[in-house]
Amino acid sequence: EVQLVESGGGLVQPGGSLRLSCAGTGFSFSDHYIDWVRQAPGGGLEWVGRVKHRPTNYVTEYAASVRGRFTISRDDSKYSAYLQMYNLKTDDTAVYYCADIGAGYWGQGTAVTVSS
Amino acid sequence: DVVLTQSPLSLPVTLGQPASISCSSSQSLLHSDGNTHLSWLQQRPGQSPRRLIYRISNRDSGVPDRFSGSGSGSDFTLQITRVEAEDVGVYYCMQGTHWPPTFGPGTKLEIK
């Protein structure tokens, strides 16, 4: 069974940092891109960014709204991907999902609240 | 960015009746690889999204055959032949043809 499990969410002050993790099991993790998608409270889905796989040299891509503040990485030896978030703003408050949107795999999400 | 528009945004349906959701794209979603990367996602209350349909009309494993997708170019439809109680939730279309991937605003399906 494919599973993506996020962790690391929580409450952080504006301007702060947070690192989310995503552990993947039940599929060939290293062969897949990993996306991060977020959903603000009561809102829709917003693609945040992606880390591609080894054949691409782990290319990363980011939405304009987070570029320069968020960094995505992965460690295939740990079947894990990461979303490092810096200089967080209140607008970043959301549930963050890791996913492979091309394969249709989604995690259960982890909530991030940016508030003073 | 490609803008996806869905209609209706709210869809009250009687149990056992059909339902239809439209998704319209600001650009054609036909990719140079010959595929159209338009998917439909279901998000039940309190749950994460689940993909139902990929590449317009292909059902994911475990998705009931009462769900079907159709369309081409920039206009697409998700149809449910007979709505069941477990179908309550929000339905999103999503495109992966053009960068960045984008999602429609969602259609909230509820039981009348």
Side-chain angles (χ1 to χ4, degrees):
Chain A
E1 180 194 6
V2 170
Q3 280 200 311
L4 289 167
V5 179
E6 303 90 338
S7 60
L11 173 64
V12 60
Q13 291 189 336
S17 301
L18 202 60
R19 187 197 198 208
L20 307 182
S21 299
C22 168
T25 58
F27 65 106
S28 183
F29 184 86
S30 63
D31 290 337
H32 286 249
Y33 295 0
I34 296 297
D35 297 283
W36 287 92
V37 177
R38 68 184 179 182
Q39 186 170 36
L45 301 168
E46 178 189 15
W47 181 81
V48 171
R50 166 185 291 161
V51 56
K52 296 186 177 182
H53 54 10
R54 182 176 179 178
T56 70
N57 207 23
Y58 304 116
V59 165
T60 53
E61 299 172 335
Y62 300 94
S65 58
V66 305
R67 194 175 299 129
R69 298 189 300 120
F70 289 11
T71 300
I72 300 173
S73 61
R74 65 190 295 163
D75 184 341
D76 289 342
S77 69
K78 297 182 178 178
Y79 308 100
S80 293
Y82 307 96
L83 177 63
Q84 176 69 56
M85 303 182 290
Y86 300 98
N87 189 22
L88 282 159
K89 308 174 187 298
T90 55
D91 286 350
D92 295 319
T93 294
V95 174
Y96 285 74
Y97 298 100
C98 75
D100 178 347
I101 60 175
Y105 304 159
W106 289 76
Q108 88 290 348
T110 187
V112 173
T113 301
V114 184
S115 174
S116 55
Chain B
D1 296 0
V2 171
V3 176
L4 298 178
T5 305
Q6 290 183 228
S7 64
L9 297 182
S10 177
L11 183 56
V13 184
T14 301
L15 285 174
Q17 293 301 301
S20 179
I21 301 170
S22 296
C23 175
S24 181
S25 173
S26 61
Q27 302 178 36
S28 172
L29 299 184
L30 177 61
H31 194 277
S32 56
D33 66 7
N35 293 307
T36 299
H37 298 283
L38 185 284
S39 302
W40 289 96
L41 310 175
Q42 175 195 60
Q43 188 173 32
R44 291 170 171 155
Q47 295 188 14
S48 60
R50 166 201 183 195
R51 193 177 70 178
L52 301 175
I53 302 283
Y54 62 96
R55 276 188 262 126
I56 302 177
S57 60
N58 297 275
R59 269 190 307 275
D60 275 279
S61 176
V63 174
D65 60 8
R66 64 178 181 277
F67 289 92
S68 65
S70 63
S72 65
S74 58
D75 291 293
F76 307 92
T77 302
L78 176 69
Q79 293 187 305
I80 309 173
T81 52
R82 292 172 303 279
V83 169
E84 298 188 6
E86 67 177 17
D87 299 335
V88 166
V90 180
Y91 291 80
Y92 297 93
C93 56
M94 185 201 80
Q95 70 82 23
T97 295
H98 301 286
W99 191 92
T102 52
F103 299 87
T107 294
K108 186 173 184 178
L109 185 151
E110 62 179 23
I111 304 300
K112 270 187 198 173

